[in-house]
Amino acid sequence: MRLAATAAAVAAVAVLAGCTGADPAPSPTATASPAPTAPTSPAPTPSVATPSPAASSTPTPAPETLAWGPTVEEWDAALATARALPLAHAAGQVIVTDLYTPDVDVAVQRVREHHLGGVILMDGAAPSAAEVAALTDALGRVDDRDWPVWISADEEGGWVSRLSAAVPSLPGFMAAGAATDKAAVTDAYRSSAADMRALGVNVDYAPVADVTVGPADPTIRTRSAGSDPETVAETVVAAVDGFVDGGVVPVIKHFPGHGSVTVDSHTGLPVQSRSVKRLARTDLVPFAAAVDAGAPVVMMGHIAVPEWGDGPATLERAAYRYLRDDLGFTGVTVTDALNMAAVAEGRTPGQAAVQALRAGADVLLMPKDVDGTVDAIVSAVRDGSLSRARLDQAAARSILLMRWSEGLGGDAATPGYPRALAAAGTTVATDDCDAPLVRRRATVVGGPDDAVAALEGALRRRGVTVGEGGTSIALLTSGAYRADADVVVALGDPWGLFDSRADAHVAVYGDSDATLAGLADVLVGDAAPGGAWPVELRGARRSCAAS
């Protein structure tokens, strides 16, 4: 999916990349945009020389493209569309609201009332594939706009799987980080995207590009691909390629990295103690790699970086400047949810929204009060504290992304892809990597009831007699717990796994039925354990995949 810009487009793209949080000159005008200026639009004409009539047989130069795919001409068209929107519609276009019901009428009314950019399907909004398809079909006909509505989901895999009742769930992203075969990662995320696309979902807030520091990390952990920045970067790029090939817009998150802070931004404001120079060698490595590979969307995290200001990066112009000027990002920026404590405390929803737009945000995710947020944006443009030019720029990026997304998609999902990724990421350390860990008999001696039942069923389907002696298997929700068995399996966090006594230590980074089916494949020898340890573990033995 690597979508490089042509050399001739560099100058025009650089202008667009320079559209940072610096708000163009404020305008009190409510309905008309100011004349184009360098910060709000790339150069409207190509920098490629026009051939003379005598050279008319020379092939026409390829259109200039932004690093993530659309042409500069398409950007100009999106900007013109945004400028033509009524002010209130432009304000609505930059908002993605949270939806907790599959009720089609509720969804359509919410989007239509304020011309919202789109919705995110939260718990309760996706009880089945059929209901998701009905919802997305209705939203596709919500009004007369000629670009799609954002129909988005938070479907990372693992324990963040909002669409688990509608599409197969992948294991946690750490399984992808563990997998030594990154082609398997790309195919899994391509397949997941194909299944979402088939239901009408066009944006997924994944993959997670955070580099975890381990147990001190309060919220990311197995949502991260691991603790090595380069491995995380490689995994994120593989997943981004898969998403785009499968037809869904990926959103890499949470810039500048949530894995190395020790406060959960859902409950408070994390303050990053690392300098930006150090972040460039650690947390920012996966973001830089994904931008270079053509990632179309970056989610801004509610994380304070003192060099950029006292507030969360979501509201700091310097954070957006770094992303666009230093990393060269020309795509769309979306805030993390604006109802989270790190950004919501001490601010009204409208204040947070206007500050984010002024800083450089293009899409506002989940403001607490949609009506109040739209009113605040409109008022800010009218009183000059937010220019219409900055709002148009944000709305244009949203429109451009949705128009571009219509051309995505390809082959159907590979059957059994969550199980295949689970096996590819399963990490095993044992003395004899060539022998099956389970032969004719096995007993699952402990673990969560659902996981025990799923593994027992999977083993029986592979011809293993279960519950009558043989290999003892203990399932731990986290490596922080202890067990004594022939095989000890960490379903979640792997840290502490080697404190358990076992002949074989195993990590699978998830507990879905598909993940446990992949585990069963590995245990009986039907699939090789493809994972290497994605994080440093005390007392760890070398993994079979790394041997």
Side-chain angles (χ1 to χ4, degrees):
M1 190 279 302
R2 205 171 172 89
L3 302 168
T6 61
V10 169
V13 172
V15 173
L16 183 57
C19 300
T20 64
D23 196 10
S27 167
T29 305
T31 58
S33 301
T37 61
T40 60
S41 175
T45 56
S47 58
V48 180
T50 302
S52 65
S56 59
S57 60
T58 303
T60 302
E64 299 174 273
T65 61
L66 306 183
W68 53 284
T71 66
V72 173
E73 183 179 2
E74 288 167 339
W75 158 253
D76 285 337
L79 187 59
T81 299
R83 287 171 170 163
L85 291 174
L87 175 57
H89 283 192
Q93 179 61 43
V94 300
I95 294 172
V96 172
T97 190
D98 39 339
L99 195 64
Y100 294 87
T101 173
D103 189 307
V104 169
D105 292 336
V106 169
V108 168
Q109 187 275 333
R110 291 189 68 180
V111 173
R112 182 179 290 158
E113 180 180 5
H114 291 299
H115 194 275
L116 299 185
V119 300
I120 174 174
L121 306 181
M122 300 297 288
D123 295 331
S128 70
E131 287 169 292
V132 172
L135 186 64
T136 62
D137 179 66
L139 288 173
R141 296 177 283 105
V142 70
D143 55 30
D144 62 354
R145 72 185 78 184
D146 67 357
W147 60 91
V149 171
W150 282 61
I151 304 174
S152 59
D154 206 5
E155 182 62 26
E156 298 175 11
W159 61 273
V160 181
S161 296
R162 309 286 189 190
L163 298 181
S164 59
V167 298
S169 290
L170 295 170
F173 197 48
M174 192 167 280
T180 53
D181 179 6
K182 297 307 181 191
V185 173
T186 297
D187 186 66
Y189 286 90
R190 182 199 64 78
S191 295
S192 180
D195 276 345
M196 286 187 273
R197 181 76 180 208
L199 298 181
V201 175
N202 54 23
V203 178
D204 189 14
Y205 301 102
V208 172
D210 304 326
V211 180
T212 185
V213 293
D217 167 6
T219 188
I220 302 300
R221 298 194 171 207
T222 57
R223 298 168 63 193
S224 165
S227 59
D228 175 66
E230 296 297 338
T231 299
V232 174
E234 182 185 12
T235 308
V236 167
V237 169
V240 166
D241 287 350
F243 274 117
V244 173
D245 289 346
V248 168
V249 174
V251 178
I252 59 171
K253 62 185 186 183
H254 310 78
F255 182 88
H258 206 310
S260 64
V261 292
T262 56
V263 173
D264 182 351
S265 56
H266 291 87
T267 60
L269 177 63
V271 178
Q272 176 57 260
S273 61
R274 295 175 174 178
S275 66
V276 172
K277 184 176 180 179
R278 186 180 175 195
L279 289 174
R281 300 193 303 269
T282 53
D283 301 60
L284 291 168
V285 170
F287 292 95
V291 168
D292 286 346
V297 188
V298 172
M299 176 181 284
M300 304 298 288
H302 304 319
I303 301 151
V305 177
E307 288 178 55
W308 292 341
D310 295 333
T314 332
L315 307 182
E316 293 291 348
R317 291 179 176 180
Y320 293 87
R321 288 195 186 106
Y322 187 94
L323 177 61
R324 295 202 180 276
D325 297 347
D326 291 65
L327 299 189
F329 182 61
T330 61
V332 178
T333 57
V334 56
T335 68
D336 203 347
L338 291 178
N339 60 7
M340 295 165 63
V343 70
E345 288 183 352
R347 302 176 183 89
T348 67
Q351 287 171 336
V354 171
Q355 287 179 41
L357 287 169
R358 281 188 58 85
D362 300 316
V363 175
L364 309 171
L365 181 63
M366 297 172 60
K368 281 185 177 181
D369 174 8
V370 170
D371 291 347
T373 298
V374 170
D375 289 345
I377 295 170
V378 169
S379 295
V381 172
R382 286 176 173 160
D383 69 21
S385 58
L386 174 69
S387 78
R388 177 66 196 254
R390 171 77 269 271
L391 178 60
D392 287 344
Q393 183 189 78
R397 287 195 179 122
S398 172
I399 292 166
L400 178 64
L401 181 73
M402 288 295 95
R403 286 175 174 166
W404 176 74
S405 74
E406 291 186 286
L408 303 182
D411 296 336
T414 301
Y417 63 89
R419 174 174 160 184
L421 180 61
T426 294
T427 313
V428 175
T430 188
D431 290 339
D432 186 355
C433 291
D434 296 324
L437 297 176
V438 171
R439 296 185 184 274
R440 297 179 60 184
R441 298 178 182 276
T443 301
V444 184
V445 297
D449 291 344
D450 289 348
V452 169
L455 180 58
E456 288 180 339
L459 289 173
R460 288 191 181 99
R461 289 191 293 274
R462 288 154 182 77
V464 177
T465 300
V466 176
E468 300 179 16
T471 302
S472 59
I473 305 169
L475 304 178
L476 306 180
T477 55
S478 165
Y481 295 97
R482 306 288 180 269
D484 186 350
D486 296 325
V487 178
V488 174
V489 181
L491 301 174
D493 294 347
W495 296 281
L497 174 61
F498 286 88
D499 292 339
S500 289
R501 295 175 55 187
D503 295 328
H505 294 88
V506 181
V508 294
Y509 321 103
D511 62 359
S512 68
D513 287 355
T515 299
L516 291 160
L519 170 62
D521 288 338
V522 169
L523 293 176
V524 302
D526 287 349
W533 298 116
V535 294
E536 292 187 8
L537 301 176
R538 183 179 63 251
R541 293 185 288 168
R542 189 176 179 83
S543 69
C544 290
S547 299

